[in-house]
Amino acid sequence: MADPETGLRARLIDVGVDLVNTEGVQALTLREIARRAGVSHGAPRRHFPTHLELLSAIARRGFTDLAGRAAEVRGDGAADPREQLAALGRVYLDFALTHRGMHELMFRHDLLESGHLGLRETSLPLFSLLVDLVGRARPDADAALVAGSLLANLHGIAQLWTWGSLPLATGADDVVPLLRTALEAHLGPGGR
């Protein structure tokens, strides 16, 4: 038989995930999550003594989801690093554009203070994968800096696409050409 307290913890996270995906980060209050979970507004405090801890648990779920998607497209990791980076870039942009609230929460380190609540254990492996692939694609470069710059570029593409700025400015109807251009800018000619 399932522990009702463990079930409540998972339900609170599930409700938070649904709420952030449908209404955005601003909707993630303890009171609203408790209401939607069907518990008193004080009940979440038994599992999450602070709002920050609940937000971090929700964001961890997002990183876990993104990591699972990345693992699916990466397969056994034997493909060319540039091809893997292109596939990961598509996954990242798709996730960012279809899970806008979660994507925002995941990268709001100003809200999450990731060093204190275990988020680095779920977010850093994804970045480490990016660094590894960049290092294999561009052994001449500082892989961490190039990977960080690429991630920032992809994040910017997602944000500006969401706001409608990039479709308007570029006339593009899809982010894939922007992804290809970003990869080529960071990896050099031939990067796709």
Side-chain angles (χ1 to χ4, degrees):
M1 180 175 222
D3 177 6
E5 286 300 306
T6 302
L8 177 57
R9 178 177 171 52
R11 189 165 80 237
L12 292 167
I13 296 169
D14 290 344
V15 166
V17 167
D18 183 56
L19 191 59
V20 76
N21 280 326
T22 58
E23 298 185 31
V25 172
Q26 71 284 352
L28 289 175
T29 65
L30 282 174
R31 186 174 294 275
E32 184 60 17
I33 292 170
R35 186 185 74 73
R36 290 184 185 217
V39 297
S40 72
H41 69 272
R45 298 257 186 226
R46 287 196 304 270
H47 299 284
F48 304 101
T50 67
H51 188 223
L52 177 63
E53 291 177 69
L54 180 52
L55 292 180
S56 294
I58 295 165
R60 268 194 303 279
R61 185 78 64 83
F63 279 114
T64 300
D65 183 12
L66 183 56
R69 292 166 190 243
E72 281 180 28
V73 299
R74 190 160 183 260
D76 65 4
D80 176 78
R82 288 176 185 256
E83 291 174 17
Q84 290 183 63
L85 284 164
L88 291 174
R90 283 189 298 275
V91 163
Y92 179 85
L93 289 172
D94 179 65
F95 183 89
L97 296 172
T98 59
H99 296 83
R100 291 167 49 182
M102 178 62 82
H103 180 256
E104 178 186 349
L105 177 65
M106 289 164 57
F107 292 95
R108 289 288 308 269
H109 291 275
D110 59 323
L111 292 177
L112 299 173
E113 299 177 22
S114 63
H116 301 291
L117 298 168
L119 273 180
R120 288 188 181 153
E121 288 77 17
T122 55
S123 63
L124 286 182
L126 284 170
F127 186 70
S128 294
L129 171 60
L130 194 61
V131 171
D132 175 62
L133 290 171
V134 166
R136 289 175 35 213
R138 281 208 44 206
D140 61 314
D142 182 325
L145 290 178
V146 173
S149 182
L150 176 58
L151 178 60
N153 197 172
L154 294 177
H155 191 87
I157 289 170
Q159 189 63 65
L160 292 172
W161 191 269
T162 296
W163 289 339
S165 301
L166 279 177
L168 181 65
T170 65
D173 59 358
D174 188 359
V175 296
V176 173
L178 295 163
L179 170 61
R180 281 194 300 263
T181 302
L183 289 169
E184 189 166 302
H186 294 284
L187 302 178
R192 295 205 166 245

